Amino acid sequence: MTETTKVNLLGLTQPQLEGFFESIGEKRFRAGQVMKWIHHFGVDDFEAMSNIGKALREKLKACAEIRGPEIVSQDISSDGTRKWVVRVASGSCVETVYIPQAGRGTLCVSSQAGCSLDCSFCSTGKQGFNSDLTAAEIIGQVWIANKSFGTVPAKIDRAVTNVVMMGMGEPLLNFDNAVAAMQIMMDDLGYGISKRKVTLSTSGVAPMIDELGKVIDVSLALSLHAPNDALRDRLVPINRKYPLAVVLDACKRYISRLGEKRVLTVEYTLLKDVNDQPEHAAQMIELLRDVPCKINLIPFNPFPFSGYERPSNNAIRRFQDLLHQAGHNVTVRTTRGEDIDAACGQLVGQVMDRTRRSERHITVRQLGDEAAPSPSAANRT
Ligand code: SAH
Ligand code: SF4
């Protein structure tokens, strides 16, 4: 049997792994044993699985493997943030970021190499799209991050306590693999992370939000970024297909199914003079009137030739105050890991673009070099 025909057990959920053991004529309970070795102890070698007999270990070695994405680099920021660049099967590289905070550690996980949705202020979008990550490549990022802190069996001591699907890509456009990976994150035989602490962020693929609600109960974040359709059509092009009313209805349905006082997280990247004015705050208050939510403002993180700027701290505070006065719970995301380019929207990896969008973006950059316009002049209408 060749390498490539081996089944990679890393990305299999518990029922899938039970099915695998049945398919090779073994008992289903082996799935639990092997999952613990993989996810609790970070093991990738069947030889290390001491409660599995030699004959079965040999059988597994012949037909299966435990393989995470290849680590290309690991950087540690002065503030403790860690960033990995990993290579996936398609040859592209994606990024994963670990953010330590008091009492918790949040891992920002990628779901695709690049992204097809082309939001105008996102560097991942500017790279175009190459491939969906497999479930093993998605959960593999959690596996790698935990392993980098040493193998710690007790889940209470694990480094990764929260996961946000906010790295590269749109997770709802890689639905099955994102769901399988999140199931492993929440499974006690996997990472045992509570459903409240696993968050899927979407730019608003409305029909898939309903599909998500049928299979899983993780927390949901909507990348709003604009309080009216005209502006959102420009910033988040998927809005032309699923406008605000449609996507917010889908979010409300999803949240109401969760019950237990759970709310939608609304992400709003603040772009200077584009969506940061008092009128935008007023429209947002009206729009979110009957949406149970908390709002997370993300000051824009610049990248070369984006055409946007971060608002001043005063403008950010003014926007936050307006929402706050209307009764909203509003936080401003602090930028972490800037010295290793790990901040939101700065994740670029190395995507072998299939859409040729990155070529167009590079052309714009070159034109920009020649004409040397002010970076803030572009992309505004
Ligand atoms: N595709 C999904 C998940 C990944 S993006 C989504 O869009 O929700 C994670 C978050 O970072 C999104 O809210 C996105 O809009 C935001 N973001 C993208 N580029 C950014 C930038 N340059 N500065 C700040 N936030 C950015
Ligand atoms: Fe894709 Fe999200 Fe970036 Fe938009 S913000 S281009 S959906 S990764």
Side-chain angles (χ1 to χ4, degrees), residues 107-139:
L107 194 70
C108 180
V109 167
S110 292
S111 56
Q112 296 182 310
C115 184
S116 59
L117 295 183
D118 201 15
C119 299
S120 63
F121 52 86
C122 173
S123 57
T124 300
K126 294 292 156 243
Q127 296 209 299
F129 174 73
N130 182 262
S131 62
D132 284 337
L133 268 55
T134 62
E137 287 165 345
I138 299 173
I139 198 68

PDB file of all heavy atoms in Angstrom, residues 107-139:
ATOM      1  N   LEU A 107      -7.166  30.278  19.743  1.00  0.00           N
ATOM      2  CA  LEU A 107      -6.505  29.923  18.496  1.00  0.00           C
ATOM      3  C   LEU A 107      -7.378  30.359  17.326  1.00  0.00           C
ATOM      4  O   LEU A 107      -8.568  30.029  17.252  1.00  0.00           O
ATOM      5  CB  LEU A 107      -6.281  28.405  18.425  1.00  0.00           C
ATOM      6  CG  LEU A 107      -5.301  27.973  17.331  1.00  0.00           C
ATOM      7  CD1 LEU A 107      -3.867  28.412  17.683  1.00  0.00           C
ATOM      8  CD2 LEU A 107      -5.336  26.462  17.125  1.00  0.00           C
ATOM      9  N   CYS A 108      -6.765  31.109  16.421  1.00  0.00           N
ATOM     10  CA  CYS A 108      -7.474  31.586  15.231  1.00  0.00           C
ATOM     11  C   CYS A 108      -7.074  30.667  14.076  1.00  0.00           C
ATOM     12  O   CYS A 108      -5.911  30.597  13.691  1.00  0.00           O
ATOM     13  CB  CYS A 108      -7.061  33.033  14.970  1.00  0.00           C
ATOM     14  SG  CYS A 108      -7.868  33.739  13.542  1.00  0.00           S
ATOM     15  N   VAL A 109      -8.061  29.929  13.581  1.00  0.00           N
ATOM     16  CA  VAL A 109      -7.810  28.810  12.664  1.00  0.00           C
ATOM     17  C   VAL A 109      -8.249  29.152  11.237  1.00  0.00           C
ATOM     18  O   VAL A 109      -9.281  29.790  11.038  1.00  0.00           O
ATOM     19  CB  VAL A 109      -8.589  27.579  13.211  1.00  0.00           C
ATOM     20  CG1 VAL A 109      -8.682  26.465  12.206  1.00  0.00           C
ATOM     21  CG2 VAL A 109      -7.943  27.080  14.505  1.00  0.00           C
ATOM     22  N   SER A 110      -7.473  28.730  10.258  1.00  0.00           N
ATOM     23  CA  SER A 110      -7.835  28.932   8.850  1.00  0.00           C
ATOM     24  C   SER A 110      -8.651  27.757   8.331  1.00  0.00           C
ATOM     25  O   SER A 110      -8.466  26.613   8.763  1.00  0.00           O
ATOM     26  CB  SER A 110      -6.573  29.080   7.992  1.00  0.00           C
ATOM     27  OG  SER A 110      -5.890  30.281   8.297  1.00  0.00           O
ATOM     28  N   SER A 111      -9.539  28.045   7.388  1.00  0.00           N
ATOM     29  CA  SER A 111     -10.377  26.982   6.822  1.00  0.00           C
ATOM     30  C   SER A 111     -10.169  26.794   5.323  1.00  0.00           C
ATOM     31  O   SER A 111     -10.566  25.781   4.753  1.00  0.00           O
ATOM     32  CB  SER A 111     -11.860  27.279   7.095  1.00  0.00           C
ATOM     33  OG  SER A 111     -12.201  28.550   6.577  1.00  0.00           O
ATOM     34  N   GLN A 112      -9.561  27.792   4.665  1.00  0.00           N
ATOM     35  CA  GLN A 112      -9.297  27.683   3.235  1.00  0.00           C
ATOM     36  C   GLN A 112      -7.940  28.321   2.932  1.00  0.00           C
ATOM     37  O   GLN A 112      -7.487  29.200   3.678  1.00  0.00           O
ATOM     38  CB  GLN A 112     -10.361  28.444   2.424  1.00  0.00           C
ATOM     39  CG  GLN A 112     -11.771  27.879   2.554  1.00  0.00           C
ATOM     40  CD  GLN A 112     -12.769  28.654   1.688  1.00  0.00           C
ATOM     41  OE1 GLN A 112     -12.822  29.876   1.744  1.00  0.00           O
ATOM     42  NE2 GLN A 112     -13.536  27.925   0.888  1.00  0.00           N
ATOM     43  N   ALA A 113      -7.320  27.899   1.832  1.00  0.00           N
ATOM     44  CA  ALA A 113      -6.123  28.582   1.365  1.00  0.00           C
ATOM     45  C   ALA A 113      -6.615  29.694   0.447  1.00  0.00           C
ATOM     46  O   ALA A 113      -7.098  29.436  -0.652  1.00  0.00           O
ATOM     47  CB  ALA A 113      -5.205  27.618   0.618  1.00  0.00           C
ATOM     48  N   GLY A 114      -6.540  30.932   0.959  1.00  0.00           N
ATOM     49  CA  GLY A 114      -7.125  32.063   0.243  1.00  0.00           C
ATOM     50  C   GLY A 114      -8.611  32.135   0.515  1.00  0.00           C
ATOM     51  O   GLY A 114      -9.126  31.470   1.418  1.00  0.00           O
ATOM     52  N   CYS A 115      -9.293  32.963  -0.240  1.00  0.00           N
ATOM     53  CA  CYS A 115     -10.746  33.093  -0.061  1.00  0.00           C
ATOM     54  C   CYS A 115     -11.324  33.624  -1.358  1.00  0.00           C
ATOM     55  O   CYS A 115     -10.737  34.505  -1.984  1.00  0.00           O
ATOM     56  CB  CYS A 115     -11.062  34.048   1.093  1.00  0.00           C
ATOM     57  SG  CYS A 115     -12.834  34.171   1.429  1.00  0.00           S
ATOM     58  N   SER A 116     -12.466  33.088  -1.743  1.00  0.00           N
ATOM     59  CA  SER A 116     -13.052  33.506  -3.025  1.00  0.00           C
ATOM     60  C   SER A 116     -13.910  34.755  -2.886  1.00  0.00           C
ATOM     61  O   SER A 116     -14.396  35.278  -3.875  1.00  0.00           O
ATOM     62  CB  SER A 116     -13.901  32.357  -3.588  1.00  0.00           C
ATOM     63  OG  SER A 116     -14.929  32.035  -2.660  1.00  0.00           O
ATOM     64  N   LEU A 117     -14.112  35.242  -1.663  1.00  0.00           N
ATOM     65  CA  LEU A 117     -15.155  36.254  -1.480  1.00  0.00           C
ATOM     66  C   LEU A 117     -14.693  37.710  -1.641  1.00  0.00           C
ATOM     67  O   LEU A 117     -15.512  38.598  -1.791  1.00  0.00           O
ATOM     68  CB  LEU A 117     -15.870  36.047  -0.141  1.00  0.00           C
ATOM     69  CG  LEU A 117     -16.645  34.723  -0.093  1.00  0.00           C
ATOM     70  CD1 LEU A 117     -17.393  34.589   1.228  1.00  0.00           C
ATOM     71  CD2 LEU A 117     -17.635  34.608  -1.249  1.00  0.00           C
ATOM     72  N   ASP A 118     -13.411  37.964  -1.586  1.00  0.00           N
ATOM     73  CA  ASP A 118     -12.856  39.254  -2.001  1.00  0.00           C
ATOM     74  C   ASP A 118     -13.400  40.479  -1.262  1.00  0.00           C
ATOM     75  O   ASP A 118     -13.723  41.492  -1.900  1.00  0.00           O
ATOM     76  CB  ASP A 118     -13.080  39.422  -3.529  1.00  0.00           C
ATOM     77  CG  ASP A 118     -12.112  40.447  -4.121  1.00  0.00           C
ATOM     78  OD1 ASP A 118     -11.129  40.792  -3.442  1.00  0.00           O
ATOM     79  OD2 ASP A 118     -12.364  40.915  -5.249  1.00  0.00           O
ATOM     80  N   CYS A 119     -13.501  40.406   0.035  1.00  0.00           N
ATOM     81  CA  CYS A 119     -13.870  41.609   0.786  1.00  0.00           C
ATOM     82  C   CYS A 119     -12.770  42.652   0.552  1.00  0.00           C
ATOM     83  O   CYS A 119     -11.582  42.322   0.543  1.00  0.00           O
ATOM     84  CB  CYS A 119     -14.033  41.302   2.270  1.00  0.00           C
ATOM     85  SG  CYS A 119     -15.335  40.087   2.557  1.00  0.00           S
ATOM     86  N   SER A 120     -13.164  43.914   0.387  1.00  0.00           N
ATOM     87  CA  SER A 120     -12.226  44.886  -0.175  1.00  0.00           C
ATOM     88  C   SER A 120     -11.084  45.263   0.775  1.00  0.00           C
ATOM     89  O   SER A 120     -10.074  45.773   0.340  1.00  0.00           O
ATOM     90  CB  SER A 120     -12.990  46.142  -0.592  1.00  0.00           C
ATOM     91  OG  SER A 120     -13.561  46.729   0.559  1.00  0.00           O
ATOM     92  N   PHE A 121     -11.245  44.981   2.084  1.00  0.00           N
ATOM     93  CA  PHE A 121     -10.240  45.423   3.074  1.00  0.00           C
ATOM     94  C   PHE A 121      -9.467  44.248   3.648  1.00  0.00           C
ATOM     95  O   PHE A 121      -8.785  44.393   4.657  1.00  0.00           O
ATOM     96  CB  PHE A 121     -10.962  46.149   4.219  1.00  0.00           C
ATOM     97  CG  PHE A 121     -12.073  45.299   4.765  1.00  0.00           C
ATOM     98  CD1 PHE A 121     -11.825  44.363   5.743  1.00  0.00           C
ATOM     99  CD2 PHE A 121     -13.355  45.391   4.209  1.00  0.00           C
ATOM    100  CE1 PHE A 121     -12.829  43.537   6.192  1.00  0.00           C
ATOM    101  CE2 PHE A 121     -14.367  44.566   4.661  1.00  0.00           C
ATOM    102  CZ  PHE A 121     -14.101  43.632   5.652  1.00  0.00           C
ATOM    103  N   CYS A 122      -9.570  43.063   3.027  1.00  0.00           N
ATOM    104  CA  CYS A 122      -8.990  41.849   3.611  1.00  0.00           C
ATOM    105  C   CYS A 122      -7.838  41.331   2.759  1.00  0.00           C
ATOM    106  O   CYS A 122      -8.014  41.081   1.571  1.00  0.00           O
ATOM    107  CB  CYS A 122     -10.079  40.779   3.749  1.00  0.00           C
ATOM    108  SG  CYS A 122      -9.431  39.175   4.272  1.00  0.00           S
ATOM    109  N   SER A 123      -6.685  41.166   3.380  1.00  0.00           N
ATOM    110  CA  SER A 123      -5.522  40.742   2.588  1.00  0.00           C
ATOM    111  C   SER A 123      -5.658  39.298   2.121  1.00  0.00           C
ATOM    112  O   SER A 123      -5.158  38.936   1.059  1.00  0.00           O
ATOM    113  CB  SER A 123      -4.232  40.935   3.380  1.00  0.00           C
ATOM    114  OG  SER A 123      -4.293  40.230   4.585  1.00  0.00           O
ATOM    115  N   THR A 124      -6.362  38.463   2.898  1.00  0.00           N
ATOM    116  CA  THR A 124      -6.594  37.082   2.431  1.00  0.00           C
ATOM    117  C   THR A 124      -7.398  37.127   1.138  1.00  0.00           C
ATOM    118  O   THR A 124      -7.087  36.436   0.158  1.00  0.00           O
ATOM    119  CB  THR A 124      -7.394  36.275   3.485  1.00  0.00           C
ATOM    120  OG1 THR A 124      -6.675  36.238   4.698  1.00  0.00           O
ATOM    121  CG2 THR A 124      -7.642  34.852   3.010  1.00  0.00           C
ATOM    122  N   GLY A 125      -8.452  37.950   1.128  1.00  0.00           N
ATOM    123  CA  GLY A 125      -9.295  38.067  -0.061  1.00  0.00           C
ATOM    124  C   GLY A 125      -8.497  38.504  -1.273  1.00  0.00           C
ATOM    125  O   GLY A 125      -8.718  38.040  -2.397  1.00  0.00           O
ATOM    126  N   LYS A 126      -7.526  39.381  -1.054  1.00  0.00           N
ATOM    127  CA  LYS A 126      -6.727  39.900  -2.172  1.00  0.00           C
ATOM    128  C   LYS A 126      -5.855  38.822  -2.795  1.00  0.00           C
ATOM    129  O   LYS A 126      -5.329  38.990  -3.886  1.00  0.00           O
ATOM    130  CB  LYS A 126      -5.837  41.056  -1.693  1.00  0.00           C
ATOM    131  CG  LYS A 126      -6.607  42.273  -1.268  1.00  0.00           C
ATOM    132  CD  LYS A 126      -7.294  42.943  -2.455  1.00  0.00           C
ATOM    133  CE  LYS A 126      -8.483  43.771  -2.025  1.00  0.00           C
ATOM    134  NZ  LYS A 126      -9.769  43.329  -2.553  1.00  0.00           N
ATOM    135  N   GLN A 127      -5.674  37.718  -2.072  1.00  0.00           N
ATOM    136  CA  GLN A 127      -4.827  36.653  -2.603  1.00  0.00           C
ATOM    137  C   GLN A 127      -5.566  35.700  -3.506  1.00  0.00           C
ATOM    138  O   GLN A 127      -4.955  34.779  -4.053  1.00  0.00           O
ATOM    139  CB  GLN A 127      -4.288  35.835  -1.445  1.00  0.00           C
ATOM    140  CG  GLN A 127      -3.406  36.633  -0.565  1.00  0.00           C
ATOM    141  CD  GLN A 127      -2.414  35.736   0.058  1.00  0.00           C
ATOM    142  OE1 GLN A 127      -2.792  34.814   0.777  1.00  0.00           O
ATOM    143  NE2 GLN A 127      -1.175  35.937  -0.240  1.00  0.00           N
ATOM    144  N   GLY A 128      -6.872  35.856  -3.626  1.00  0.00           N
ATOM    145  CA  GLY A 128      -7.629  34.904  -4.423  1.00  0.00           C
ATOM    146  C   GLY A 128      -7.820  33.606  -3.661  1.00  0.00           C
ATOM    147  O   GLY A 128      -7.615  33.536  -2.450  1.00  0.00           O
ATOM    148  N   PHE A 129      -8.223  32.570  -4.389  1.00  0.00           N
ATOM    149  CA  PHE A 129      -8.568  31.307  -3.736  1.00  0.00           C
ATOM    150  C   PHE A 129      -7.746  30.174  -4.323  1.00  0.00           C
ATOM    151  O   PHE A 129      -7.531  30.118  -5.519  1.00  0.00           O
ATOM    152  CB  PHE A 129     -10.061  31.024  -3.953  1.00  0.00           C
ATOM    153  CG  PHE A 129     -10.486  29.672  -3.454  1.00  0.00           C
ATOM    154  CD1 PHE A 129     -10.602  29.428  -2.085  1.00  0.00           C
ATOM    155  CD2 PHE A 129     -10.742  28.641  -4.348  1.00  0.00           C
ATOM    156  CE1 PHE A 129     -10.975  28.177  -1.613  1.00  0.00           C
ATOM    157  CE2 PHE A 129     -11.119  27.384  -3.886  1.00  0.00           C
ATOM    158  CZ  PHE A 129     -11.234  27.155  -2.523  1.00  0.00           C
ATOM    159  N   ASN A 130      -7.285  29.268  -3.462  1.00  0.00           N
ATOM    160  CA  ASN A 130      -6.648  28.072  -3.991  1.00  0.00           C
ATOM    161  C   ASN A 130      -7.379  26.803  -3.624  1.00  0.00           C
ATOM    162  O   ASN A 130      -7.731  26.029  -4.504  1.00  0.00           O
ATOM    163  CB  ASN A 130      -5.189  27.984  -3.555  1.00  0.00           C
ATOM    164  CG  ASN A 130      -4.534  26.757  -4.155  1.00  0.00           C
ATOM    165  OD1 ASN A 130      -4.422  25.731  -3.499  1.00  0.00           O
ATOM    166  ND2 ASN A 130      -4.174  26.820  -5.438  1.00  0.00           N
ATOM    167  N   SER A 131      -7.611  26.550  -2.343  1.00  0.00           N
ATOM    168  CA  SER A 131      -8.208  25.251  -2.019  1.00  0.00           C
ATOM    169  C   SER A 131      -8.908  25.266  -0.667  1.00  0.00           C
ATOM    170  O   SER A 131      -8.600  26.092   0.198  1.00  0.00           O
ATOM    171  CB  SER A 131      -7.116  24.169  -1.980  1.00  0.00           C
ATOM    172  OG  SER A 131      -6.181  24.462  -0.961  1.00  0.00           O
ATOM    173  N   ASP A 132      -9.836  24.327  -0.521  1.00  0.00           N
ATOM    174  CA  ASP A 132     -10.426  24.052   0.783  1.00  0.00           C
ATOM    175  C   ASP A 132      -9.425  23.253   1.599  1.00  0.00           C
ATOM    176  O   ASP A 132      -8.730  22.386   1.057  1.00  0.00           O
ATOM    177  CB  ASP A 132     -11.678  23.176   0.620  1.00  0.00           C
ATOM    178  CG  ASP A 132     -12.864  23.973   0.116  1.00  0.00           C
ATOM    179  OD1 ASP A 132     -12.884  25.203   0.301  1.00  0.00           O
ATOM    180  OD2 ASP A 132     -13.774  23.352  -0.450  1.00  0.00           O
ATOM    181  N   LEU A 133      -9.360  23.502   2.906  1.00  0.00           N
ATOM    182  CA  LEU A 133      -8.542  22.639   3.755  1.00  0.00           C
ATOM    183  C   LEU A 133      -9.333  21.380   4.091  1.00  0.00           C
ATOM    184  O   LEU A 133     -10.569  21.427   4.204  1.00  0.00           O
ATOM    185  CB  LEU A 133      -8.179  23.392   5.048  1.00  0.00           C
ATOM    186  CG  LEU A 133      -6.853  24.165   5.016  1.00  0.00           C
ATOM    187  CD1 LEU A 133      -6.780  25.132   3.856  1.00  0.00           C
ATOM    188  CD2 LEU A 133      -6.635  24.914   6.325  1.00  0.00           C
ATOM    189  N   THR A 134      -8.644  20.276   4.253  1.00  0.00           N
ATOM    190  CA  THR A 134      -9.312  19.047   4.698  1.00  0.00           C
ATOM    191  C   THR A 134      -9.616  19.190   6.192  1.00  0.00           C
ATOM    192  O   THR A 134      -9.048  20.062   6.872  1.00  0.00           O
ATOM    193  CB  THR A 134      -8.403  17.821   4.509  1.00  0.00           C
ATOM    194  OG1 THR A 134      -7.226  18.011   5.329  1.00  0.00           O
ATOM    195  CG2 THR A 134      -7.975  17.656   3.049  1.00  0.00           C
ATOM    196  N   ALA A 135     -10.473  18.296   6.701  1.00  0.00           N
ATOM    197  CA  ALA A 135     -10.755  18.326   8.145  1.00  0.00           C
ATOM    198  C   ALA A 135      -9.450  18.124   8.926  1.00  0.00           C
ATOM    199  O   ALA A 135      -9.227  18.757   9.963  1.00  0.00           O
ATOM    200  CB  ALA A 135     -11.777  17.258   8.510  1.00  0.00           C
ATOM    201  N   ALA A 136      -8.570  17.252   8.427  1.00  0.00           N
ATOM    202  CA  ALA A 136      -7.291  17.009   9.118  1.00  0.00           C
ATOM    203  C   ALA A 136      -6.432  18.268   9.124  1.00  0.00           C
ATOM    204  O   ALA A 136      -5.732  18.556  10.099  1.00  0.00           O
ATOM    205  CB  ALA A 136      -6.534  15.865   8.445  1.00  0.00           C
ATOM    206  N   GLU A 137      -6.491  19.045   8.040  1.00  0.00           N
ATOM    207  CA  GLU A 137      -5.685  20.265   7.986  1.00  0.00           C
ATOM    208  C   GLU A 137      -6.251  21.343   8.910  1.00  0.00           C
ATOM    209  O   GLU A 137      -5.513  22.179   9.425  1.00  0.00           O
ATOM    210  CB  GLU A 137      -5.596  20.771   6.539  1.00  0.00           C
ATOM    211  CG  GLU A 137      -4.683  19.877   5.689  1.00  0.00           C
ATOM    212  CD  GLU A 137      -4.831  20.087   4.192  1.00  0.00           C
ATOM    213  OE1 GLU A 137      -5.820  20.708   3.747  1.00  0.00           O
ATOM    214  OE2 GLU A 137      -3.962  19.592   3.449  1.00  0.00           O
ATOM    215  N   ILE A 138      -7.570  21.325   9.109  1.00  0.00           N
ATOM    216  CA  ILE A 138      -8.166  22.322  10.019  1.00  0.00           C
ATOM    217  C   ILE A 138      -7.890  21.926  11.476  1.00  0.00           C
ATOM    218  O   ILE A 138      -7.326  22.698  12.245  1.00  0.00           O
ATOM    219  CB  ILE A 138      -9.688  22.472   9.759  1.00  0.00           C
ATOM    220  CG1 ILE A 138      -9.931  22.943   8.317  1.00  0.00           C
ATOM    221  CG2 ILE A 138     -10.299  23.463  10.750  1.00  0.00           C
ATOM    222  CD1 ILE A 138     -11.395  22.957   7.903  1.00  0.00           C
ATOM    223  N   ILE A 139      -8.252  20.689  11.856  1.00  0.00           N
ATOM    224  CA  ILE A 139      -8.030  20.278  13.254  1.00  0.00           C
ATOM    225  C   ILE A 139      -6.526  20.171  13.516  1.00  0.00           C
ATOM    226  O   ILE A 139      -6.060  20.353  14.651  1.00  0.00           O
ATOM    227  CB  ILE A 139      -8.776  18.961  13.593  1.00  0.00           C
ATOM    228  CG1 ILE A 139      -8.906  18.795  15.106  1.00  0.00           C
ATOM    229  CG2 ILE A 139      -8.112  17.735  12.984  1.00  0.00           C
ATOM    230  CD1 ILE A 139      -9.804  19.765  15.788  1.00  0.00           C
TER     231      ILE A 139
END
